[in-house]
Short mmCIF file of all heavy atoms in Angstrom, two decimals:
data_model
loop_
_atom_site.label_atom_id
_atom_site.label_comp_id
_atom_site.label_asym_id
_atom_site.label_seq_id
_atom_site.Cartn_x
_atom_site.Cartn_y
_atom_site.Cartn_z
N ILE A 141 24.58 -59.28 53.79
CA ILE A 141 25.28 -58.16 54.42
C ILE A 141 24.28 -57.06 54.78
O ILE A 141 24.29 -56.53 55.89
CB ILE A 141 26.38 -57.59 53.48
CG1 ILE A 141 27.52 -58.59 53.33
CG2 ILE A 141 26.85 -56.22 53.94
CD1 ILE A 141 28.46 -58.68 54.50
N ASN A 142 23.41 -56.72 53.84
CA ASN A 142 22.41 -55.66 54.08
C ASN A 142 21.47 -56.03 55.22
O ASN A 142 21.10 -55.18 56.03
CB ASN A 142 21.64 -55.33 52.81
CG ASN A 142 22.48 -54.56 51.83
OD1 ASN A 142 23.39 -53.82 52.21
ND2 ASN A 142 22.22 -54.75 50.56
N GLN A 143 21.10 -57.30 55.30
CA GLN A 143 20.25 -57.75 56.39
C GLN A 143 20.99 -57.60 57.72
O GLN A 143 20.42 -57.12 58.71
CB GLN A 143 19.83 -59.20 56.17
CG GLN A 143 18.90 -59.72 57.24
CD GLN A 143 18.45 -61.14 56.97
OE1 GLN A 143 18.81 -61.76 55.97
NE2 GLN A 143 17.67 -61.70 57.87
N ALA A 144 22.27 -57.96 57.75
CA ALA A 144 23.07 -57.84 58.97
C ALA A 144 23.21 -56.36 59.38
O ALA A 144 23.08 -56.02 60.56
CB ALA A 144 24.44 -58.46 58.78
N VAL A 145 23.46 -55.51 58.40
CA VAL A 145 23.65 -54.08 58.69
C VAL A 145 22.35 -53.44 59.15
O VAL A 145 22.35 -52.57 60.03
CB VAL A 145 24.23 -53.35 57.46
CG1 VAL A 145 24.21 -51.84 57.64
CG2 VAL A 145 25.66 -53.82 57.18
N ARG A 146 21.24 -53.85 58.58
CA ARG A 146 19.95 -53.25 58.94
C ARG A 146 19.36 -53.80 60.24
O ARG A 146 18.36 -53.27 60.74
CB ARG A 146 18.97 -53.43 57.79
CG ARG A 146 19.31 -52.53 56.62
CD ARG A 146 18.25 -52.56 55.54
NE ARG A 146 18.56 -51.58 54.54
CZ ARG A 146 18.87 -51.86 53.28
NH1 ARG A 146 18.89 -53.11 52.87
NH2 ARG A 146 19.15 -50.90 52.42
N THR A 147 19.99 -54.85 60.78
CA THR A 147 19.54 -55.38 62.07
C THR A 147 19.88 -54.36 63.15
O THR A 147 21.03 -53.93 63.25
CB THR A 147 20.24 -56.73 62.38
OG1 THR A 147 19.92 -57.66 61.35
CG2 THR A 147 19.81 -57.26 63.73
N PRO A 148 18.89 -53.94 63.92
CA PRO A 148 19.17 -52.92 64.94
C PRO A 148 20.26 -53.39 65.91
O PRO A 148 20.27 -54.53 66.34
CB PRO A 148 17.83 -52.75 65.66
CG PRO A 148 16.81 -53.23 64.68
CD PRO A 148 17.48 -54.32 63.89
N VAL A 149 21.16 -52.48 66.24
CA VAL A 149 22.23 -52.76 67.19
C VAL A 149 21.86 -52.07 68.49
O VAL A 149 21.57 -50.87 68.51
CB VAL A 149 23.59 -52.23 66.65
CG1 VAL A 149 24.68 -52.37 67.70
CG2 VAL A 149 23.98 -52.96 65.37
N HIS A 150 21.87 -52.84 69.58
CA HIS A 150 21.53 -52.32 70.90
C HIS A 150 22.81 -52.18 71.71
O HIS A 150 23.58 -53.13 71.82
CB HIS A 150 20.56 -53.26 71.62
CG HIS A 150 19.35 -53.60 70.80
ND1 HIS A 150 18.31 -52.72 70.61
CD2 HIS A 150 19.04 -54.71 70.10
CE1 HIS A 150 17.40 -53.28 69.85
NE2 HIS A 150 17.81 -54.49 69.50
N TYR A 151 23.03 -50.99 72.26
CA TYR A 151 24.22 -50.76 73.07
C TYR A 151 23.97 -49.56 73.98
O TYR A 151 23.28 -48.62 73.59
CB TYR A 151 25.45 -50.52 72.19
CG TYR A 151 25.32 -49.33 71.28
CD1 TYR A 151 25.87 -48.10 71.62
CD2 TYR A 151 24.59 -49.40 70.10
CE1 TYR A 151 25.70 -46.99 70.81
CE2 TYR A 151 24.42 -48.31 69.28
CZ TYR A 151 24.97 -47.10 69.65
OH TYR A 151 24.80 -46.01 68.86
N ASP A 152 24.48 -49.63 75.18
CA ASP A 152 24.40 -48.52 76.14
C ASP A 152 22.99 -47.94 76.28
O ASP A 152 22.82 -46.73 76.41
CB ASP A 152 25.36 -47.39 75.74
CG ASP A 152 26.81 -47.80 75.77
OD1 ASP A 152 27.11 -48.87 76.33
OD2 ASP A 152 27.64 -47.06 75.23
#
Side-chain angles (χ1 to χ4, degrees):
I141 291 284
N142 287 330
Q143 182 177 359
V145 170
R146 287 187 173 115
T147 300
V149 174
H150 308 284
Y151 60 98
D152 296 347

